[in-house]
Amino acid sequence: VVAMASLDGQVKYVHPAGLKLVGMERLEDAPTRTIRDFLTEAGMRQSQQVEIPGVEASGRWEGESTLRHFQGGDPIPVQISSFLVKDPSTGEPLCLATLQHDLRGQKQAEEALRQAQKLESLAVLAGGIAHDFNNLLTAILGNLELAKAALPEASGAGTYLDRMGLAVGRASDLARQMLAYSGKGRVVVRAVDLNALITEMAQLITASLPKKAQFDL
């Protein structure tokens, strides 16, 4: 997108694609038309040198900034390159030219990559925990069996040990789900109840989602 401004910082021309980007049909629709009017507060902090004095000092300014959306839409991150247009015969500056590149697609891709990396890290962590958890459960289950074998036949404690064994079994199932989530579970080909499988996995997936996200089946 190309935009032009006068030496006093008044925006004189914006390419139609640029007008559409900030939610306008005509440049005349802007309440005022200084360079700062087109930038958000964060954008002004990012690009303090984008106006004439700053560009004059360095001859050129490049960097990221944020444009205001005039219809109340989200701010637009852009890459800006600004330079002075000079009279070819005298070298006197005539106006400020600015090239703007919409960075929304790039920012979305970067955020998607960060989320994927977070999920990958979570999967690695889940796999490690599941392996250690299984080792602990194996020791617990083995000692439960030894305790049951050592009990007198008339003892009522066997019922409690059986309940503990069931709890260990459920914990082992949870560990298998964690391994499946991490991609490290063993591949077993068998018929499954798909609804039950999805419901079980949903409990694990929802635990990793942010609180603002809603997971519906």
Side-chain angles (χ1 to χ4, degrees):
V1 175
V2 179
M4 308 288 288
S6 63
L7 296 180
D8 61 357
Q10 295 293 315
V11 177
K12 296 298 184 181
Y13 170 79
V14 178
H15 188 275
L19 293 174
K20 183 178 180 181
L21 185 66
V22 296
M24 288 194 300
E25 294 183 3
R26 304 178 308 159
L27 183 57
E28 291 75 14
D29 294 337
T32 56
R33 295 198 291 275
T34 67
I35 294 174
R36 288 177 173 266
D37 293 327
F38 283 80
L39 301 174
T40 64
E41 291 185 9
M44 285 188 284
R45 290 194 296 270
Q46 289 171 302
S47 52
Q48 291 179 353
Q49 291 181 316
V50 76
E51 296 191 66
I52 306 295
V55 177
E56 274 187 325
S58 59
R60 189 181 185 93
W61 185 89
E62 291 187 1
E64 290 189 16
S65 189
T66 312
L67 298 179
R68 175 181 287 112
H69 194 282
F70 286 86
Q71 299 299 323
D74 292 333
I76 306 113
V78 291
Q79 177 73 26
I80 288 181
S81 178
S82 296
F83 54 92
L84 286 175
V85 177
K86 298 181 179 181
D87 187 306
S89 58
T90 65
E92 290 294 318
L94 299 175
C95 62
L96 177 71
T98 301
L99 304 177
Q100 301 163 8
H101 176 64
D102 186 355
L103 294 179
R104 285 177 296 182
Q106 177 182 324
K107 296 295 184 183
Q108 290 170 358
E110 289 173 354
E111 180 60 25
L113 177 60
R114 281 194 292 270
Q115 292 298 326
Q117 290 171 337
K118 286 170 62 177
L119 289 175
E120 183 180 358
S121 299
L122 182 61
V124 172
L125 178 63
I129 292 174
H131 278 298
D132 292 342
F133 195 43
N134 261 334
N135 292 336
L136 294 172
L137 291 176
T138 300
I140 293 171
L141 189 59
N143 281 284
L144 279 175
E145 294 299 327
L146 291 174
K148 286 171 63 177
L151 284 177
E153 292 185 6
S155 173
T159 301
Y160 300 110
L161 294 178
D162 288 337
R163 291 176 184 172
M164 291 175 65
L166 289 174
V168 169
R170 293 194 185 98
S172 181
D173 288 339
L174 177 60
R176 280 194 291 271
Q177 289 180 37
M178 292 172 68
L179 283 171
Y181 176 74
S182 67
K184 296 180 180 178
R186 290 185 303 167
V187 177
V188 179
V189 180
R190 60 184 175 85
V192 297
D193 181 341
L194 191 56
N195 287 328
L197 181 63
I198 291 173
T199 301
E200 290 176 6
M201 291 303 298
Q203 296 173 1
L204 197 60
I205 292 170
T206 51
S208 67
L209 292 176
K211 292 181 180 180
K212 293 182 179 180
Q214 182 173 330
F215 189 80
D216 291 325
L217 296 178

